[in-house]
Amino acid sequence: MKHCIIAKYTPQAYERRAELLSRIREIFAVAGEIPGVRGAEVYPNCVARENRYDVLIVLDMASEALPVYDVSAPHRLWKEEFGPLLAQKAIFDFEP
């Protein structure tokens, strides 16, 4: 399964997007160590428009790994550090 997190920064956080992208990649670099998670990829948006989200995080995992990911250190860090920096967030899961 692919677990996708699509996020839009607050205006203040958007100004720091390059720095934030580096930190997001650092947080999710260890995702493959979570049982059932094969890895994660982080993509910045390449179009700067008001109606766009700013970053996409795609985790490749077994569907039964979702509860394990939910209590993992990367998920906790993502929520603690980036929750206050986000204006919007959407989650989308699919089977390729």
Side-chain angles (χ1 to χ4, degrees):
M1 151 176 115
K2 302 288 185 176
H3 177 73
C4 304
I5 305 162
I6 308 164
K8 182 174 186 66
Y9 300 127
T10 62
Q12 299 81 7
Y14 184 80
E15 297 172 5
R16 301 173 39 216
R17 65 191 176 277
E19 169 195 344
L20 296 176
L21 182 64
S22 176
R23 179 62 182 141
I24 294 169
R25 286 184 168 143
E26 182 181 328
I27 288 171
F28 286 96
V30 299
E33 297 172 13
I34 302 166
V37 178
R38 292 178 279 280
E41 296 182 43
V42 178
Y43 303 97
N45 188 353
C46 64
V47 176
R49 289 189 180 175
E50 181 65 28
N51 66 344
R52 300 294 198 267
Y53 281 73
D54 299 308
V55 65
L56 166 65
I57 304 160
V58 181
L59 291 106
D60 184 17
M61 66 173 70
S63 57
E64 60 272 6
L66 188 58
V68 179
Y69 164 73
D70 283 343
V71 297
S72 70
H75 186 242
R76 181 180 43 76
L77 286 171
W78 161 251
K79 291 183 76 142
E80 287 175 5
E81 291 184 32
F82 284 84
L85 304 175
L86 302 180
Q88 294 178 310
K89 179 178 74 170
I91 308 298
F92 185 81
D93 300 306
F94 71 97
E95 293 284 349

